[in-house]
Amino acid sequence: REDKKSQPPNDDVVSRDKVEVYRMIKELDAGGGADVTEVVTRCGAGNAEALIKEMIMAGDLFEVSPGKLKVLE
């Protein structure tokens, strides 16, 4: 018998990491967008670059200029 509480579903981890990426972009964006490299470095999620690409494709984020991200609100 497998205890589902001992291993959270991978989707939960991805969702938490996406929230962290979103939060970091909002924190670093002073109006002109947040630097992608700084978001990845400060976010701490090992899959941050892949998540950013996924979030751009989903329309949650956009690149205002190369390497600068903004959150769609």
Side-chain angles (χ1 to χ4, degrees), residues 2-67:
E2 191 178 321
D3 183 10
K4 295 205 184 259
K5 290 186 181 187
S6 66
Q7 294 182 336
N10 197 27
D11 288 348
D12 286 351
V13 173
V14 170
S15 294
R16 280 195 301 266
D17 288 348
K18 282 183 178 180
V19 168
E20 181 61 20
V21 168
Y22 185 89
R23 187 190 67 75
M24 188 57 59
I25 291 168
K26 287 189 65 98
E27 182 180 310
L28 295 173
D29 183 6
D35 184 72
V36 174
T37 306
E38 192 170 354
V39 171
V40 170
T41 302
R42 293 183 58 185
C43 179
N47 57 346
E49 287 185 65
L51 288 175
I52 289 168
K53 287 178 185 171
E54 186 179 313
M55 292 168 78
I56 289 171
M57 295 299 287
D60 299 325
L61 307 175
F62 68 102
E63 245 180 322
V64 289
S65 62

